[in-house]
Amino acid sequence: MFGKHIGVDLGTANVLIYVKGKGIVSSEPSVVAVAQRDNSIVAVGTEARDMLGRTPSAIQVIRPMRDGVIADYLTTEAMLRYFIGKVNGRFSLVKPEVMVCVPAGVTGVEQRAVQDACEAAGARRPAYVVSEPLAAAIGARIPISTPQGHMVVDIGGGRAEAAVISMYGIVVSESVRVAGDRLDDAIAAHIKRRYNLNIGDRTAEDVKIAIGSALPLDEQLTYDVRGRDQISGLPKTVTITAEDVCQAFHDPLQAILGSVRSVLERTPPELAADIIDRGVVLTGGTALLRNLDRLVTQEIGIPCYVADNPMDCVAIGAGIALEHLDLIQRAQPPEGEWMVSF
C-alpha cells in the first residue's frame, strides 16, 4: 500500500484519527495553547486542555473549531499538522491519504478551508471530505449501500445533525448548532442563576458526564461543584442534583429533537417506512448522555438506539469511506459534492 489511509474526525470538542488496519490511533481534545509573544505552539490536545482557564495572559488557550467548522485557520492547520505528524511519523517522506469530515450543509468556502488545512498539514493532495452523518452511518456499520432508508443522528460537541441516508447518499438532512458544548453552557447558566456560582467550561463538562441525564433519574445523583461566588467573590462549593441538570438541558435538547422531527417530516414515505422498521441510530460523544435514546424514542415514537462506540463512528467511517470513493461520489449531487478531487 502506498502510504497510510487516514480518516479524521475534525470535531469541535475532539479530534479522532483512524488508520486503516489499526483502528482509532489518536483521540484528543481540539485545543491548542499559543504563546502570544511569537504565536508559537505551546501545547496541543490533552496537554492544552489541561491549561484551560489556568494560564497566564501571555499564553492563550484556543479551541480553533466552532460549531463544526474552522474558526481559526492557522491554529487548526497547526493542530492538524501535530496530529497527522504524530500518526504518520514526523520524518516520513510518504504523505498519507486523508479523508476528513465536515458538517452536512457547510458552504463551499468552509469545505475548502478544511481541505486546505489538511493539505498544508501534510496530507497527500487532494484531501477528501465527507459529510459527518454519512461517515457516522458507515462507521456505525449501517448497511447504507442498499436502496433502503436509514436515519442517523450525529451529536458531537458543536453540532447535532440528523440525516436520512440511502445508497451512500444523503436524502434529507438538518443541522443545528446545538450539541455537547451548548449543554455545558446550559449547566453553567443554570448554576449561575440558581446558586449564584460562576463555574468554568471544564467543570460544567464534568457535571454533565457525572450526573447529566436527558430524562429524570430514579436514583437521585448529586455532585459537588466548586466555583466563585457571584456575591462574595470567594471560592465556594455547592451540591447540585441530577434533577437540576435535567432541567437545564430542556431547551437545548428540544432544539435537537426539532431537527429530528424536521428531517422525518421531509422524508419520502417509502424511506420513512424503512426508518420505522429499523429505528434511529445515535452517534457522537453526546449520544452517551444518559437516557437520550429513550427521550428521542418517547418524542418521535420510533425506536432509537445508541451505536457501538458512538464517539468513534465518524472517524472510522471517514477511513472506510476512502475505500468507497466511487460509490459515494456517484451519490452526490453535482452542484454540492461532498467528495471533491482537485
Side-chain angles (χ1 to χ4, degrees):
M1 184 185 295
F2 184 71
K4 290 181 179 176
H5 284 203
I6 294 176
V8 179
D9 176 8
L10 186 59
T12 306
N14 296 285
V15 175
L16 285 85
I17 297 185
Y18 168 91
V19 175
K20 184 178 178 181
K22 294 184 179 179
I24 300 293
V25 295
S26 178
S27 176
E28 293 196 52
S30 313
V31 184
V32 181
V34 180
Q36 299 276 62
R37 185 173 182 176
D38 56 2
N39 285 329
S40 60
I41 303 298
V42 176
V44 179
T46 303
E47 189 181 347
R49 186 187 61 179
D50 291 341
M51 298 179 184
L52 273 171
R54 293 174 171 150
T55 59
S57 58
I59 297 175
Q60 185 178 13
V61 182
I62 300 169
R63 295 182 65 178
M65 302 293 296
R66 189 171 299 127
D67 301 327
V69 296
I70 293 175
D72 185 325
Y73 178 85
L74 291 176
T75 308
T76 301
E77 181 191 316
M79 181 175 71
L80 278 170
R81 183 177 292 110
Y82 169 82
F83 287 125
I84 291 174
K86 181 179 174 183
V87 170
N88 196 50
R90 298 192 181 280
F91 303 105
S92 175
L93 298 177
V94 181
K95 292 186 175 183
E97 190 168 19
V98 174
M99 173 80 79
V100 64
C101 299
V102 294
V106 296
T107 66
V109 172
E110 290 169 334
Q111 177 178 309
R112 185 66 210 180
V114 171
Q115 287 178 290
D116 288 347
C118 278
E119 290 168 4
R124 190 190 314 168
R125 295 174 183 270
Y128 298 100
V129 294
V130 62
S131 66
E132 284 177 12
L134 184 58
I138 295 171
R141 312 296 179 180
I142 298 172
I144 59 170
S145 59
T146 60
Q148 294 174 325
H150 302 273
M151 185 168 184
V152 63
V153 182
D154 180 52
I155 313 173
R159 281 183 192 245
E161 298 188 281
V164 174
I165 299 168
S166 176
M167 295 182 69
Y168 286 109
I170 293 178
V171 180
V172 186
S173 69
E174 180 90 15
S175 178
V176 291
R177 297 186 177 193
V178 179
D181 287 351
R182 193 67 65 87
L183 295 180
D184 296 344
D185 293 343
I187 290 171
H190 181 82
I191 291 173
K192 182 177 181 179
R193 185 170 58 249
R194 183 160 183 177
Y195 298 101
N196 289 318
L197 190 74
N198 285 324
I199 64 171
D201 294 341
R202 285 289 304 278
T203 302
E205 186 179 18
D206 291 343
V207 171
K208 177 181 69 179
I209 293 168
I211 62 172
S213 176
L215 291 171
L217 296 170
D218 295 332
E219 178 189 2
Q220 191 57 272
L221 301 176
T222 61
Y223 191 85
D224 290 337
V225 178
R226 297 176 179 85
R228 190 182 73 246
D229 189 275
Q230 274 191 290
I231 298 170
S232 68
L234 299 174
K236 178 182 172 184
T237 300
V238 299
T239 300
I240 65 166
T241 65
E243 187 178 348
D244 282 327
V245 180
C246 190
Q247 289 173 8
F249 286 168
H250 179 268
D251 288 348
L253 289 180
Q254 286 303 313
I256 294 171
L257 289 168
S259 68
V260 175
R261 290 193 198 95
S262 174
V263 167
L264 288 169
E265 287 166 2
R266 292 182 284 129
T267 300
E270 296 293 342
L271 296 180
D274 293 337
I275 292 166
I276 291 171
D277 290 339
R278 292 171 178 78
V280 176
V281 181
L282 292 180
T283 65
T286 306
L288 294 168
L289 179 68
R290 294 176 185 84
N291 295 319
L292 183 57
D293 52 343
R294 283 181 54 205
L295 176 66
V296 175
T297 300
Q298 183 178 298
E299 291 290 326
I300 66 174
I302 297 173
C304 176
Y305 61 94
V306 179
D308 294 334
N309 301 316
M311 278 193 70
D312 300 345
C313 286
V314 173
I316 292 170
I320 296 173
L322 278 169
E323 302 167 29
H324 303 286
L325 278 175
D326 293 342
L327 293 172
I328 296 173
Q329 284 178 327
R330 185 184 68 185
Q332 309 311 315
E335 70 277 5
E337 294 185 3
W338 287 116
M339 311 295 297
V340 185
S341 296
F342 291 96

